[in-house]
Amino acid sequence: MTSTVQHQVERSAGVTAPAGFRAAGVIAGIKPAGKPDLTVVVNDGPYDGAAGVFTTNKVKAAPVLWSQQVLTAGKLKAVVLNSGGANACTGPEGFQDTHKTAEELATILGVGAGEIGVCSTGLIGERLPMDKLLPGLKSVVDALGDTPGHSLSAATAVMTTDNVPKQAVLKHADGWSIGGFAKGAGMCAPNMATMLSVITTDAIVDQPHLDHVLRNAVGKTFNRLDVDGGTSTNDTVLLLSSGASGIKVPADEFEAALTALAADLVKQLQADAEGVTKHVSITVQNAATEAEAVAAAKIVAEDNLCKTAFFASDPNWGRIAMAVGNAPTAFDPALLDITLNGAAICIAGGKGVDRSEADLSGLEIDVVIDLHAGSASATVLTTDLSHAYVEENSAYSS
């Protein structure tokens, strides 16, 4: 397999960087504040292979149900995404709104409604203003283009509580590339986030492999971001292949590049999480299995006592030990080691170096938990629980 390490991920462009794609984001009036709120990404081919990964929440938004249904055919010509409304918990009428959205865009583009993916994000429980959304589709199609500016506008129009757009591109030395954008700042937990992501590639990868590599990449990246333990109703990651480079790429090589791109998008999501003052990386090493390592890291990431300690820059390792002890993970507590920013603060299940040696005052906090129970490891990214997070989410629907 060709290494992708030498091919750096850049943030200068996104979904339009690979050949064969156009995109745009516009103000359609869905958001009362008059901010950009409608995005379309179009695959101009010659291939139209696609795959998707969706929320595991039992309460699934109408666009998730629609996109899951159309992706059974393994292809998409375009994706439409709106912010300003989740179209979740809106009943049959909400599904009809999603269907109408797909039909309207399909008519404008001259394709079938079953070739259109739909994504929505925003407040749960409210119908979308279709009198704004449907006319906005003509405006966004008229604005389509393939420049970095078009990528940026597409990434911007999907934002809700995000402060900045998030996009990235990886250009492979062999002449093919992957680009994408993501949005998400809160209601983020493994099994994705309140998160939408569209990733494009001009590589030729057959559809079964597209689906397989996307699931593997998501499992190692998007599913290992945990801001607040809330798995959204709308989580969607879509991967579209135009094949416009004419280069057929082996699945393992493509997966490595896709994982690198997705990891960068996830780092951007973490950095812009709601109320964030700390970027926390939790690594569990020497677990019996990778699944147990993930479970232990996740329970620390979601624990409010740990998260408030991170916010206070408090090296309270007892809270971490408590959280790990509640994980469905096999280990001997008498062997537990915990290191905070390089300081071995817990050794063999008891007090290690003095707490003063663990400096958590900076932006980055690195937690390493050694279970001494095997050889597997995993890392989960999270953030702290700050005053700003509470304030933002207590006023979200006002």
Side-chain angles (χ1 to χ4, degrees):
M1 183 179 74
T2 302
S3 172
T4 60
V5 174
Q6 61 185 315
H7 311 302
Q8 296 292 327
V9 176
E10 302 174 3
R11 297 177 180 176
S12 56
V15 291
T16 64
F21 291 95
R22 291 176 294 150
V26 301
I27 299 171
I30 300 168
K31 291 178 180 175
K35 295 181 179 179
D37 50 21
L38 190 62
T39 288
V40 167
V41 179
V42 174
N43 181 356
D44 292 319
Y47 293 94
D48 56 6
V53 177
F54 302 90
T55 181
T56 59
N57 197 316
K58 295 181 182 67
V59 181
K60 291 178 171 58
V64 169
L65 297 173
W66 170 268
S67 295
Q68 285 181 311
Q69 180 178 307
V70 299
L71 267 175
T72 57
K75 62 181 184 178
L76 290 175
K77 293 288 190 181
V79 182
V80 53
L81 311 93
N82 75 270
S83 55
N87 195 9
C89 301
T90 49
E93 295 81 7
F95 190 83
Q96 290 169 11
D97 289 342
T98 292
H99 193 175
K100 288 177 184 176
T101 300
E103 286 185 326
E104 181 68 16
L105 181 58
T107 298
I108 296 170
L109 295 176
V111 299
E115 299 173 297
I116 305 294
V118 182
C119 302
S120 299
T121 183
L123 186 65
I124 293 170
E126 301 290 338
R127 295 275 300 279
L128 293 173
M130 299 301 287
D131 59 329
K132 304 288 180 57
L133 195 158
L134 294 179
L137 291 172
K138 179 65 166 59
S139 298
V140 71
V141 170
D142 287 344
L144 288 170
D146 61 3
T147 70
H150 290 95
S151 283
L152 181 61
S153 71
T156 300
V158 296
M159 292 165 53
T160 50
T161 58
D162 306 67
N163 293 301
V164 294
K166 303 158 187 72
Q167 59 176 357
V169 59
L170 187 152
K171 297 180 179 179
H172 197 277
D174 291 345
W176 55 274
S177 60
I178 308 177
F181 63 70
K183 66 80 50 181
M187 201 183 285
C188 294
N191 310 315
M192 294 188 304
T194 183
M195 187 203 73
L196 306 179
S197 181
V198 176
I199 300 173
T200 59
T201 183
D202 51 19
I204 299 174
V205 184
D206 62 82
Q207 201 283 328
H209 281 143
L210 275 183
D211 185 79
H212 178 72
V213 300
L214 178 62
R215 293 181 185 281
N216 286 348
V218 165
K220 298 171 185 173
T221 58
F222 290 111
N223 276 357
R224 295 191 186 177
L225 171 68
D226 196 327
V227 171
D228 49 23
T231 298
S232 171
T233 56
N234 290 61
D235 297 345
T236 302
V237 179
L238 298 176
L239 173 61
L240 283 64
S241 170
S242 70
S245 70
I247 300 170
K248 189 169 184 178
V249 180
D252 57 351
E253 183 175 335
F254 183 78
E255 182 180 325
L258 176 62
T259 302
L261 180 92
D264 188 87
L265 290 172
V266 167
K267 288 292 289 185
Q268 294 182 57
L269 292 171
Q270 180 195 31
D272 192 33
E274 290 173 353
V276 61
T277 73
K278 301 289 185 179
H279 301 164
V280 185
S281 172
I282 301 170
T283 298
V284 173
Q285 61 189 27
N286 295 319
T289 66
E290 184 177 7
E292 291 197 1
V294 171
K298 177 183 174 183
I299 204 163
V300 175
E302 293 181 358
D303 187 88
N304 285 339
L305 289 174
C306 293
K307 293 171 81 68
T308 51
F310 296 145
F311 172 61
S313 303
D314 179 9
N316 191 337
W317 62 267
R319 293 183 176 183
I320 298 171
M322 172 276 299
V324 173
N326 282 314
T329 303
F331 69 97
D332 182 350
L335 300 178
L336 177 66
D337 294 335
I338 300 172
T339 302
L340 296 179
N341 280 358
I345 200 164
C346 170
I347 299 174
K351 183 178 178 180
V353 301
D354 190 79
R355 293 170 189 252
S356 62
E357 294 191 29
D359 182 5
L360 309 188
S361 60
L363 178 62
E364 305 289 337
I365 297 179
D366 184 33
V367 181
V368 179
I369 301 163
D370 194 330
L371 300 181
H372 297 284
S375 59
S377 65
T379 299
V380 169
L381 303 181
T382 190
T383 57
D384 55 327
L385 181 56
S386 68
H387 300 303
Y389 177 89
V390 175
E391 291 167 0
E392 184 165 342
N393 281 280
S394 62
Y396 185 77
S397 62
S398 62

